Amino acid sequence: MGFEITAIAFVLLIAVLIATGVRMVPQGYNYTVERFGKYTKTLPPGLHVIVPVIDSVGNKMNMMEQVLDIAPQEVISSDNAQVTTDAVCFFQVQDAVKASYEVNDLPKAMQNLVMTNIRAVLGSMELDEMLSNRDRINGQLLAKVDEATDPWGLKVTRIELRDIAPPNDLVEAMARQMKAERDKRAQILDAEGAREAAIKVAEGQKQAQILQAEGELEAAKREAEARERLAEAEARATEAVSRAIASGDQRAINYFVAQKYVEALKEVGAADNSKLIMMPLEASGVIGSLAGIRELLSEVSGNKPS
């Protein structure tokens, strides 16, 4: 009876030892194995057997990409503006051994490292630059933190600033400044629009004056040509009349007399103070003069009077 109990106890002990020596590593994790407290090997995902009692699992390292929330903190910019900012950091363990034995308390170390670099990067910028260059800030933080965590076997994939919040009084001052800048730009645009409109109006007036001057010049040219032709016609008529007078033609003399007579009557009739004019007039003399003019002009033109 005692032998059976001993055998059962021995079998149970063997089973317990085998159970403690079997390890199943889930996907996305790596286990480090220590023998008497010293690292010996790394167990990848799957079923493994280690030496019971002698070997033990040291650290269960998550190899998947992880996210770390960075607590809000106050940062003073280079122009002495105080802002509150927080961030998120994405990282992945590349080497389970370094992440287990090169740093103590990895999440806390990561958080302190990111917070320190946020202060360093933001503290070197002015407030306006800080608010308008978030992508550049994220890039600088990523480069610095990734370089610092390389000895820990980590790969920092992304760091994003979630918020940069200035104090309320500073926000109000920035809003007033922005409104003033927009008002200034609006006034400048209005002034530029008025200037452009004035330029367009001046150009239109200039073009209209040019066109008017060109029209007046063309009209003057045509009027001059008309006067020149009229003068040429009068010169030819005067020449013809002069030849007729020289030859003793009485009709030529009648032409000049009738012309002056008719012009005098026209001026008298067109006077403003002329209401009623009564003067003797021999119609036969004027008619005879007009008949002589008609015959003279017919001879000058080479046509016989009809």
Side-chain angles (χ1 to χ4, degrees):
M1 190 67 179
F3 176 77
E4 291 178 357
I5 294 175
T6 303
I8 293 173
F10 181 77
V11 171
L12 292 175
L13 178 61
I14 295 298
V16 171
L17 291 176
I18 293 174
T20 57
V22 177
R23 289 290 183 269
M24 185 182 66
V25 181
Q27 185 67 37
Y29 283 81
N30 280 354
Y31 289 180
T32 60
V33 178
E34 299 175 355
R35 179 168 293 177
F36 300 117
K38 181 180 180 181
Y39 167 77
T40 57
K41 61 181 179 180
T42 301
L43 301 180
L47 184 63
H48 302 274
V49 177
I50 61 175
V51 179
V53 181
I54 298 176
D55 293 339
S56 62
V57 175
N59 290 283
K60 299 178 180 180
M61 190 59 59
N62 186 350
M63 306 299 291
M64 295 179 288
E65 186 173 7
Q66 304 174 59
V67 59
L68 179 66
D69 285 328
I70 307 302
Q73 59 177 327
E74 294 182 351
V75 180
I76 299 177
S77 64
S78 61
D79 54 350
N80 296 324
Q82 184 174 347
V83 299
T84 302
T85 180
D86 60 348
V88 289
C89 176
F90 297 85
F91 68 95
Q92 186 175 14
V93 177
Q94 301 288 325
D95 190 332
V97 178
K98 291 182 178 180
S100 299
Y101 302 107
E102 295 295 334
V103 60
N104 183 31
D105 196 351
L106 181 61
K108 185 177 180 180
M110 283 288 299
Q111 186 169 15
N112 289 330
L113 180 63
V114 174
M115 292 175 64
T116 303
N117 281 275
I118 288 176
R119 291 194 188 98
V121 173
L122 296 184
S124 62
M125 297 181 176
E126 294 183 354
L127 179 61
D128 292 339
E129 184 181 7
M130 187 187 304
L131 296 175
S132 60
N133 293 279
R134 187 168 297 188
D135 290 340
R136 183 163 64 88
I137 295 172
N138 293 336
Q140 292 181 3
L141 289 174
L142 178 61
K144 290 179 177 294
V145 176
D146 186 49
E147 181 181 0
T149 56
D150 185 66
W152 300 346
L154 303 181
K155 175 64 180 176
V156 180
T157 57
R158 190 163 62 253
I159 296 179
E160 297 287 344
L161 291 176
R162 287 190 295 195
D163 190 20
I164 299 177
N168 292 332
D169 55 347
L170 187 56
V171 173
E172 294 176 357
M174 292 173 62
R176 290 194 299 269
Q177 181 182 2
M178 185 183 304
K179 184 178 182 300
E181 289 292 334
R182 290 179 177 176
D183 292 341
K184 177 182 176 182
R185 286 197 297 268
Q187 292 175 0
I188 291 175
L189 291 176
D190 290 341
E192 291 179 351
R195 185 186 66 179
E196 291 293 331
I199 291 174
K200 295 295 184 182
V201 171
E203 289 179 352
Q205 293 176 352
K206 176 182 176 182
Q207 190 67 23
Q209 292 174 358
I210 292 174
L211 294 176
Q212 182 179 0
E214 291 179 351
E216 292 176 354
L217 177 61
E218 185 66 23
K221 288 182 180 179
R222 293 183 181 274
E223 184 179 358
E225 291 176 356
R227 288 198 303 268
E228 183 179 357
R229 292 178 182 177
L230 180 61
E232 290 178 354
E234 291 179 355
R236 287 195 298 269
T238 303
E239 183 180 0
V241 173
S242 297
R243 287 198 302 268
I245 293 173
S247 62
D249 193 345
Q250 185 64 28
R251 292 172 300 176
I253 299 174
N254 291 336
Y255 167 75
F256 278 109
V257 173
Q259 184 181 21
K260 297 300 182 181
Y261 194 74
V262 171
E263 291 177 356
L265 289 178
K266 184 187 297 185
E267 291 179 0
V268 171
D272 295 336
N273 57 357
S274 299
K275 301 300 181 180
L276 179 63
I277 300 174
M278 300 181 64
M279 57 184 300
L281 179 63
E282 295 182 0
S284 60
V286 176
I287 294 173
S289 299
L290 295 176
I293 294 170
R294 181 169 177 268
E295 293 177 359
L296 179 60
L297 293 177
S298 299
E299 291 179 0
V300 170
S301 60
N303 298 324
K304 292 182 180 181
S306 56

